[in-house]
Every structure is written in C-alpha cells, then in structure tokens.
Amino acid sequence: MLQKTVIALTCCIFFTPGIFAQDTTATIELKEMPLRFLDYKSPMQEIQEGDGLAQQPAMQELDNFQKDIMSRISDIYRIHINAMEAQVNNDPLEAETQINDALAATQGLLDDYPEISGNRRFTELYRSVISEYRQFYGITEADNEPEGEVFAVQEELFSEDDSWMDTDFSFPEDLTFQKTQVPLIQNEYVNRHLVYYTLRRPEVMETWLTRAVKYQPMMRRIFREEKVPEELTYLAFIESGLNPSARSWASAVGMWQFIRATGSVYGLEANWWIDERRDPEKATRAAARHLRDLYNIWGDWHLAMANYNISPRGLKRAINRAGGVEDYWAAYPYLPRETRGYIPGFIATTMIAMNPEEFGFQKNYPGEPYSYEVVEVDGLMELTDLAEAAGISTEELKEYNPELLRWATPPGGKYPLKLPSQTKKDFLANYENIPKENRSQNITMHTVKSGESLGIIARKYGTTVAGLYGSNENLSSTIYPGQKIVVPLPRGSASQISANQPTNQQRSVNTRRSSSSNTVSPPANSTAISYKVKTGDTIGHIAEWYDVRAWNIRTWNGIGNTIRVGQTLTVYVPNSRKNHYEKVNGMSYAQKQEIERKQRRGENIFIASASSSDGGNTYTVQSNDTLSEIAERFGIGLSELRRLNNISGNRIYVGQTLRISAN
C-alpha cells in the first residue's frame, strides 16, 4: 500500500517494496498526521527540557542590550547573503571578502559579548557563517572541533542535570588554607562542584593536578611578579585544565583561553605562523595583567573573574537586575549559566588543590617543573631539521614550542627556539650543518590537484584568493589539475619574537583605580583623529563607525570598557580615508548608523571621500602598491577597477594614474 505522510516543514512519499509504477491496482490512503515541529539542536549548546518552541512567546519586548545584539545579527546575515550571491555570480574575490567580513563580524560580536554563546539566534548564525567559511576554504569539521577535556566537563557541569549529585556527601571539616586574598566562600553552588570533581569525575582532577606539577611553579612566579594573588593561578584549571593546546568552539585558545582580540591587547602575537596564546609562559603573563586590570575596574576579585568570562556590559546588566549592588553572589541568578558556574568552579578547584589529601587525592604527583633552554634560529627553518639537530622528535619539539603552528619557524628575523635542558650545545653544533637549500622561501609554487579551489589553495598556504590573483597574471576563477600557481607565503610578526614575554607588550588599561603613561605605536600608513563621546555611545558603536575593533580603541586610549560623555578618544584611520572619518565626529547618531547600514549592505561609502582627497576620481600608484590592495583601500571591486582602467591582468607601475570612480 502506498502511504503519504505529511509532517510540518517536509513532505515525504514512501513506497512499500511490493508496489511498482506499473501496478495500477494499488490504492492510495491519505493519513492525517499531527502537526509536529522539528527540534533544533545547536551543536554548541545542549537543549534543555523546557526550551521547546511552543513555550517561547511570539513576541517579547527587548531591552537595549538585546536590541543591539539582534541588530548586529541581522546585519551579519546581510553580509552572509552577499557572500552567497557573489558565489552565484562566480566572483571568488567578492565572495572571499564577504565571507571573511561575515566571519569577522560574528567573531567580533562574540568578542564583545562572550555570554552570547548561549543565545539561540547567535548559534544559528554562527553555524551558517562558519559553514560557508569552511565550504569556501575546504575546512573539515575536525579542523575546528574543540580541543581539551575541559569542554566536556563544562557542558556537564553547567547543565541543569543534578542526577549525579550526592546530597549525603561528607565534606571535609576544619580545612586549613593558606591565607588567600580571594575569598573562598563555601555554599551550595561550590559544594556542587566539589562533589563533581571528587566523586563524579575524580580522574579529571587528577589529570589537572598532574599538569600543575609542571606549570604551577612558573605560574605562581609570574603572578607574584605581576602582584596578582597566586591562588588565581587555579583559574586556569577551569579555563583549560592547564592545557596549552586547548581550543574552544568560539576560537578561544590556550591555557588561559584568550580570544584573539583580548590576547592582542595584552601583547600576544597571533598570525598564520605562530600563536602566543598557546605559549604557557607568555599567556600566563598576559592573564595576570588582564586579571589585575579587571580588579582595578571592579575592586572585587569575584567580579574581576566573572568579567574574565563575560562582557562588562553583560556583567553590569546582571548587577543592575540584582538591584545595582556590585556583588557576584547577588548578581548570580541573573548571569548566564556558564558564568554562574565559573566562580564556584574556581573556588572548588582551589580548595581541592590546596588540600588534595582531604578530598581523597594524592599529596604529590609525578612530574618536573617547566624548564627549557633557548637558542636563536633563522626564519623558515623546517621543524623536522631542527628536531633532528636537537636529537628529539618533531612532536617533542612542538611540545616545547606550542606557539608554532606550521612546518617551519616564522619568516623574518631570528626565532627563539625552546629546547630541552642540556641539549643546546649539541644542537648548535648540528645546526650549522643543516644545508642552506633546506630552508623555505617566501614564495612557493603549487600544483593544482583534483577537487581544489582557489579558496582551498589560499588557506593551505595562509594567503588569500586576492593574494593569488595578485601573484598570477590572468588567473581565472576556474582552475584545473596540473596547473601551476605562484603562492606568496604570509609574512611573520612585525616585531622580533620574544622567548618568554608577550611579543607586542602594551600598556595596561587605565581604569577608575589605576593609570599608565606608556604609549602604543600607531598602525602603519594611518592618521590619528579625535572623537568626542556622545550620549548613548558605546565602544562597540564607535569601533563600527571607524571600521576598527573595540579592542583597538581600548588599546589606543589605555581604557577599559567604560567611557563617559565628553571624553575624547583617539582613533587611527587609513591615510587614504582620513577625509571620510574626520566627518564622523560631527554626525548625529542616526547619520552614523545609516552609514553603517549602507556599508553592511555592500554600498561603497568611501568613493566620495577618496575622490575629494585625491582632487578628483583618480589615484596615483605608489611604491609596493598592488591592484587588489588599491581596490580594497577605496572600497571598489577588483574587476570594476580593472574595467575602469582597461587592465586585463594585475600589473601596475609606480606613478600610474588609476581611475577609482566612474563619476
């Protein structure tokens, strides 16, 4: 019998094995099925009982915080649609620009509001944007999977399931603690974590205590040097389980789970070649400074730790909902579930680590303190050759240098390579014998393989599709197996890489309780302009209006996340767009937001400013300019720039006059 089943959202016809197309005697029975909604399960958030769609109100009034988030989500969807349309139009350059803009905007939203990770709309947006990015660059799901056991622990601990909770658990009495600056309050929330780590998952705590033998001495020394309470080193248990290679789905990396923006504020270099967030010593230094700055803002270590996990605006919102008292435990019911578990988790792990035997663990675990020797090597030296010279495996070399991401040391100056103790002398003797021809070059040749696209090739070498077009005359969007493509390798750090300090050390932020007078170098080819803060402004809005990141503004001005009306901020903008950005300070809020909306729709807002700055609609090519960079600088498509100037390839010369507008 042929049966037709109707379900909400999908309509499927099922044929039974005995019925064929020529069987004219078969009857069709229509069977009414109840309307059912397909459950949505986010890959990044466990759906709890009671989260069903039927229980959500059709419409609810949004506060300003929620409106800001929803507005930014809708803007990102528009960019996402532009990316898909560019691919339909077979324009890989435009598609790459829009895909990366959508990803950057999504990551920027998460950077500004870490607590949004539990928002249903955001997780749907993130899944759409990251899927398009992976598809374009040929990234598999495994490439972006979270790494580290701590994330499974968090998922279980932060859930509402308490079936494993032992209410009869006998807590140790008369615990003796060293004097701590951070209050170790014991309550029902802390007790839940104590039970989890001692009864539910004791093997996890044993793993962390074993790692602590290696890293704790170094971490305590750094926290003492930075004048931060030493017990806060146990926060790394909660962040990563003391795993330097830990990576969350939200792209937080390393032992201290820095997102790229915050890591950059504290001087951690992150590029295609290295990521200092993965270096345990450099990241610990940055974390100590970050926690100290947060304490200077709040004057309370519990709130400072909460702010390490949640945005300042999200924390302030919870405080206001709790009556305005700046107390973590008062704000507790109004915090996201992850932040609700953050401080209790820290207190529980600290109590256990300070009294392991009282909680059923060993007093001492095997291991040696973190130590190494440093030797300077050239850039673009292959790690296999360096490991052989040191007499160790490549994997062991990577364990000593977890910040190294590729097959070789980064290009540029010398790189401070870390080696096991007592190996430096032999290494130096062997290093001199490494053949010069074994060293990599800044440009390589790639032979196209079946199934590869320009996006896949660009990602493999850390470059862009635009970079491939700029290096290959008459390159088409259609490539074929066996084709040779010149690939420029990405540059390394602009600064000399440090062995044990954040490479780009910057000043600590000014706060309501501290200040600093150090200076930060401005970006290259930029001009400093001033903006006076108006009523209703946020750092996030100002960053959008000047097309920079919020952390840029905080770094340039030595501030935290609080600004006041009338305050003057310094913003660095590209020289070529100075005329446009100088007008922003005199615009109304509505005018600024309208320009931002136009830009998100893909409209070119820079042509008028560029034309006036160049005395017309032309640009004179300067030394080291490329056609793709000029197109990006003036907000014009590369194909349009070629059309306006009757250029078929990518070759331009110094002094050449290019039209940048048809008007």
Side-chain angles (χ1 to χ4, degrees), residues 490-559:
R491 289 174 293 182
S493 172
S495 305
Q496 176 65 41
I497 300 298
S498 170
N500 54 19
Q501 298 275 346
T503 289
N504 307 309
Q505 291 192 68
Q506 301 168 345
R507 59 186 172 182
S508 296
V509 298
N510 289 330
T511 65
R512 69 189 186 196
R513 294 179 176 89
S514 72
S515 62
S516 176
S517 59
N518 296 333
T519 58
V520 178
S521 299
N525 303 314
S526 65
T527 299
I529 60 177
S530 298
Y531 178 81
K532 182 171 285 189
V533 178
K534 282 84 172 173
T535 301
D537 285 351
T538 67
I539 292 180
H541 284 125
I542 298 169
E544 288 180 343
W545 298 331
Y546 286 100
D547 298 302
V548 297
R549 300 293 291 274
W551 62 264
N552 287 136
I553 294 178
R554 289 194 289 264
T555 300
W556 293 332
N557 294 275
I559 59 175

Side-chain angles (χ1 to χ4, degrees), residues 360-372:
F361 298 99
Q362 297 175 208
K363 182 177 182 180
N364 298 304
Y365 285 85
E368 295 294 330
Y370 181 68
S371 65
Y372 55 83

Side-chain angles (χ1 to χ4, degrees), residues 245-262:
S245 299
R247 183 186 65 240
S248 75
W249 69 265
S251 299
V253 171
M255 186 180 291
W256 288 96
Q257 287 294 282
F258 276 106
I259 57 175
R260 186 181 289 255
T262 307

Side-chain angles (χ1 to χ4, degrees), residues 428-454:
L428 289 175
N430 296 327
Y431 176 73
E432 296 301 323
N433 296 324
I434 298 177
K436 299 292 184 184
E437 58 268 22
N438 284 19
R439 305 182 185 194
S440 301
Q441 303 298 317
N442 287 321
I443 291 180
T444 188
M445 187 71 71
H446 177 80
T447 302
V448 178
K449 298 179 179 62
S450 178
E452 286 185 329
S453 66
L454 291 177

Side-chain angles (χ1 to χ4, degrees), residues 1 21 100 117 119 167 204 207 232 246 249 259 303 327 344 382 405 438 448 452 483 489 544 616 619 648 652 656:
M1 178 177 65
N100 281 283
S117 61
N119 180 287
T167 56
V204 169
T207 298
L232 284 175
W249 69 265
I259 57 175
L303 290 176
D327 177 82
E382 296 200 12
L405 303 178
N438 284 19
V448 178
E452 286 185 329
Q483 182 178 349
L489 294 180
E544 288 180 343
Y619 173 76
S648 59
I652 53 177
Q656 182 178 0

Side-chain angles (χ1 to χ4, degrees), residues 232-459:
L232 284 175
T233 56
Y234 294 114
L235 193 62
F237 281 44
I238 304 304
E239 284 290 338
S240 68
L242 292 177
N243 182 357
S245 299
R247 183 186 65 240
S248 75
W249 69 265
S251 299
V253 171
M255 186 180 291
W256 288 96
Q257 287 294 282
F258 276 106
I259 57 175
R260 186 181 289 255
T262 307
S264 179
V265 169
Y266 289 93
L268 296 175
E269 175 73 16
N271 56 48
W272 192 71
W273 295 97
I274 70 168
D275 190 342
E276 290 184 335
R277 295 176 296 172
R278 294 164 57 95
D279 183 282
E281 196 168 3
K282 298 177 185 179
T284 297
R285 180 80 60 183
R289 292 171 178 173
H290 186 28
L291 286 165
R292 184 184 62 204
D293 288 339
L294 293 174
Y295 178 77
N296 287 334
I297 292 172
W298 296 102
D300 178 278
W301 284 116
H302 288 167
L303 290 176
M305 284 189 287
N307 199 167
Y308 195 98
N309 180 257
I310 190 177
S311 72
R313 187 173 179 181
L315 181 56
K316 193 66 178 176
R317 181 170 179 252
I319 290 171
N320 290 338
R321 293 177 67 186
V325 179
E326 291 189 354
D327 177 82
Y328 171 81
W329 300 105
Y332 180 93
Y334 306 101
L335 292 166
R337 63 173 188 164
E338 182 176 334
T339 312
R340 287 200 301 270
Y342 198 66
I343 310 305
F346 159 77
I347 294 175
T349 55
T350 303
M351 292 173 67
I352 294 172
M354 285 184 168
N355 298 268
E357 291 180 294
E358 298 290 346
F359 289 94
F361 298 99
Q362 297 175 208
K363 182 177 182 180
N364 298 304
Y365 285 85
E368 295 294 330
Y370 181 68
S371 65
Y372 55 83
E373 291 183 313
V374 176
V375 60
E376 290 194 336
V377 298
D378 291 330
L380 293 176
M381 294 292 297
E382 296 200 12
L383 301 188
T384 52
D385 289 335
L386 296 175
E388 184 177 350
I392 59 177
S393 68
T394 304
E395 287 305 312
E396 188 175 357
L397 184 68
K398 289 180 178 179
E399 287 178 9
Y400 274 87
N401 300 271
E403 68 182 14
L404 291 176
L405 303 178
R406 308 300 166 192
W407 71 92
T409 54
K414 297 286 187 179
Y415 177 77
L417 188 72
K418 296 183 177 71
L419 299 172
S421 299
Q422 310 302 319
T423 61
K424 182 175 181 178
K425 183 177 179 180
D426 290 340
F427 173 84
L428 289 175
N430 296 327
Y431 176 73
E432 296 301 323
N433 296 324
I434 298 177
K436 299 292 184 184
E437 58 268 22
N438 284 19
R439 305 182 185 194
S440 301
Q441 303 298 317
N442 287 321
I443 291 180
T444 188
M445 187 71 71
H446 177 80
T447 302
V448 178
K449 298 179 179 62
S450 178
E452 286 185 329
S453 66
L454 291 177
I456 291 174
I457 295 170
R459 177 182 175 270

Side-chain angles (χ1 to χ4, degrees), residues 466-491:
L468 295 180
Y469 273 96
S471 302
N472 294 268
E473 194 74 22
N474 299 321
L475 181 64
S476 168
S477 60
T478 302
I479 56 178
Y480 52 87
Q483 182 178 349
K484 302 287 186 181
I485 295 179
V486 176
V487 182
L489 294 180
R491 289 174 293 182

